[in-house]
Amino acid sequence: MKHKRIVSLVMALGMMLSISIVPTLNKYESSNAIVASAANESYSFLPEYRQTEARSMLSAINSFRTGPDAWEWNQANTEKIYHSNLGNLTFDYELERVAMQRAAELVASYSHTRPNGERSFTAYTSTYDNSYRGENIAIGFPTLDVNDAFNGWREDNDYYSGQGHRRNMLKAEFKSIGIAHVYYNGCHYWVQEFSSKIGSTVKTPAEDSALLSTVDIESSTITSTTVSCDTSKINLNVGGTADIPEVTVNIRTSGTWSYAPDLSAIADANWSISSGSDVISVKNGKITALKAGNASITTTVKGVKKVIYIEVKDSSAVTAELKYQLMNAGDDIYGVRFVLIADEEAVRNAESASVYISVPYAGDSDTLVVKRAYKSLKAGGKTVYPGEGKVFLLGKFIGIPSDFLDGLTGHFTLDSETYDRTVVFN
């Protein structure tokens, strides 16, 4: 079993920002808009947010601030400085959105510098201009729940140099907090954002699901890029449709934690028909089969070419019936054997064939996978020969109540192509 690994960092802005003192710094940090330069690239992915759990940390923080453990070491590590009358922090739902954005960004770069190269406080909205601001971050696997994160940030057993997170949680100037928890491919990311201003106290529904998130990444920090696609071949029947598979770009940066997974971004792939434009059409992310034949579509992402081959078959060209035969009739129970009568050429040209019959009364099924077809079968001791060009695929006998013989459904496959048929009595 892997050992739990937890890493945490602290950053606090310990001064009131003032235009008269640091005008350029104030302007830079108060800007919410991030304009990606030519050196930045945007990537979208699906981290899982666990905000109900994140919000539950507030009570522990406030108990910590107002309880007997609200102390920190002085810089010389000779005296514990106790705090009194700190008061509770208010959960700020506007600041929570900042924390959620920062938690997503930690997947790309575990740092107080954002993946686009800017300082973490540029994620704050203008609501928090001219305020004290602070950020705590933590990362861990395979588990890092709310208690693990909070206790790690308490730093009870550290001296002054290791109590930056603790001092943020105990800072008297802070009045509000936003907390976020992201789980992504086995790794947990936690963020606390603090301010001396309160943005919004209007409660919003907690995000407890995967949410499409976008991060801007400085191109020069990307150390590894791989491009992948879910599939390279699609089989369709004439008139059928299929979604174009997603292309993903797996990214690591110089700031990606060594134990963390790659960021798997959804690529903005522009597909075009490279062959068989009369066989398929491509529109709105879907492939539509127009006629039998072969086609292909192509895209290039990050200089990597991806091709998907499409084979279209005409299911109406396969003549087949699904039937059943009865034997050993008993009290309301029949022994039933399912039979597929299909084109001999179609079956014999197939590498494999299978029959699946759904029996609705109990959810039972009769599934037969065969490597060859029989040219004749015996029914009631009599040899039955198929018509010219036909073959039989035989299923096993199963017991079915007579009341359920009507309405049986089934399908058969030849080389993974599925053909639906109504089951009828032979």
Side-chain angles (χ1 to χ4, degrees):
M1 180 176 179
K2 294 181 179 178
H3 295 290
K4 182 186 298 180
R5 297 179 180 272
I6 301 175
V7 180
S8 55
L9 296 175
V10 61
M11 184 176 186
L13 186 61
M15 65 179 72
M16 290 294 291
L17 297 178
S18 168
I19 293 176
S20 61
I21 299 176
V22 281
T24 56
L25 182 61
N26 179 62
K27 181 179 179 182
Y28 178 77
E29 292 194 339
S30 66
S31 174
N32 184 46
I34 299 174
V35 180
S37 69
N40 286 345
E41 303 173 20
S42 293
Y43 293 94
S44 297
F45 68 114
L46 287 168
E48 178 188 336
Y49 288 93
R50 299 182 176 183
Q51 288 308 109
T52 296
E53 182 187 16
R55 291 177 179 183
S56 71
M57 188 186 287
L58 178 65
S59 61
I61 295 170
N62 285 333
S63 294
F64 180 46
R65 285 172 63 90
T66 59
D69 292 330
W71 60 267
E72 64 189 64
W73 284 107
N74 63 3
Q75 293 190 44
N77 296 317
T78 58
E79 180 185 359
K80 289 182 178 180
I81 301 172
Y82 284 85
H83 298 274
S84 59
N85 302 317
L86 283 180
N88 290 331
L89 294 178
T90 297
F91 197 91
D92 188 331
Y93 296 95
E94 183 177 350
L95 203 53
E96 179 187 44
R97 303 303 297 187
V98 176
M100 290 171 64
Q101 175 63 28
R102 288 289 297 128
E105 292 176 349
L106 295 184
V107 176
S109 180
Y110 183 66
S111 170
H112 289 296
T113 299
R114 303 180 71 184
N116 66 357
E118 297 182 357
R119 298 184 65 190
S120 62
F121 297 125
T122 63
Y124 281 57
T125 64
S126 59
T127 299
Y128 306 97
D129 286 356
N130 301 313
S131 72
Y132 288 91
R133 286 169 282 187
E135 176 179 271
N136 288 344
I137 62 177
I139 188 172
F141 79 89
T143 60
L144 185 61
D145 64 18
V146 62
N147 294 321
D148 294 331
F150 172 69
N151 290 327
W153 280 328
R154 277 185 53 140
E155 298 158 332
D156 291 337
N157 299 319
D158 292 322
Y159 285 106
Y160 179 87
S161 62
Q163 289 189 331
H165 305 87
R166 186 185 187 92
R167 288 193 296 274
N168 264 354
M169 291 195 292
L170 296 177
K171 189 174 288 295
E173 291 83 359
F174 289 152
K175 305 300 180 186
S176 65
I177 188 172
I179 309 168
H181 177 200
V182 155
Y183 176 76
Y184 186 69
N185 288 350
C187 205
H188 297 264
Y189 304 84
W190 283 86
V191 176
Q192 292 176 331
E193 299 292 347
F194 303 89
S195 178
S196 56
K197 288 185 176 180
I198 298 175
S200 175
T201 59
V202 178
K203 189 173 183 178
T204 58
E207 294 285 359
D208 290 317
S209 61
L211 184 67
L212 187 66
S213 303
T214 301
V215 298
D216 292 331
I217 301 177
E218 197 170 11
S219 300
S220 62
T221 66
I222 297 175
T223 58
S224 173
T225 302
T226 57
V227 179
S228 60
C229 187
D230 291 341
T231 186
S232 60
K233 184 175 181 180
I234 295 174
N235 296 312
L236 288 172
N237 289 322
V238 174
T241 63
D243 292 329
I244 297 178
E246 285 186 347
V247 177
T248 57
V249 181
N250 300 313
I251 303 161
R252 294 189 76 81
T253 75
S254 56
T256 304
W257 189 40
S258 58
Y259 297 98
D262 293 351
L263 187 157
S264 295
I266 303 167
D268 185 14
N270 295 314
W271 292 92
S272 61
I273 300 175
S274 48
S275 66
S277 58
D278 58 335
V279 175
I280 62 168
S281 65
V282 175
K283 186 177 181 180
N284 298 327
K286 287 189 175 294
I287 303 168
T288 300
L290 304 177
K291 72 174 189 178
N294 295 299
S296 62
I297 58 175
T298 305
T299 189
T300 300
V301 176
K302 298 294 179 183
V304 178
K305 182 179 180 181
K306 291 293 179 181
V307 181
I308 297 176
Y309 299 95
I310 300 101
E311 182 179 3
V312 179
K313 293 183 179 180
D314 187 355
S315 62
S316 63
V318 177
T319 302
E321 298 174 280
L322 279 176
K323 296 189 175 185
Y324 64 87
Q325 296 177 322
L326 303 179
M327 66 174 293
N328 299 329
D331 295 335
D332 298 325
I333 297 292
Y334 285 90
V336 179
R337 175 166 65 179
F338 296 104
V339 182
L340 167 68
I341 305 176
D343 287 334
E344 180 177 3
E345 182 179 1
V347 174
R348 292 205 178 282
N349 288 339
E351 293 182 4
S352 64
S354 65
V355 181
Y356 181 89
I357 307 296
S358 174
V359 184
Y361 79 95
D364 294 333
S365 64
D366 176 41
T367 303
L368 171 68
V369 178
V370 299
K371 291 297 182 182
R372 66 186 181 88
Y374 296 90
K375 283 194 171 182
S376 66
L377 61 89
K378 285 189 176 182
K382 177 182 177 182
T383 301
V384 180
Y385 293 96
E388 184 176 353
K390 299 293 183 182
V391 292
F392 284 120
L393 302 180
L394 307 180
K396 61 185 179 181
F397 282 101
I398 59 175
I400 296 179
S402 58
D403 292 345
F404 291 91
L405 289 178
D406 293 330
L408 295 179
T409 60
H411 64 252
F412 71 95
T413 62
L414 298 176
D415 282 344
S416 300
E417 290 297 320
T418 300
Y419 306 97
D420 294 316
R421 294 291 186 271
T422 301
V423 183
V424 297
F425 179 64
N426 187 20

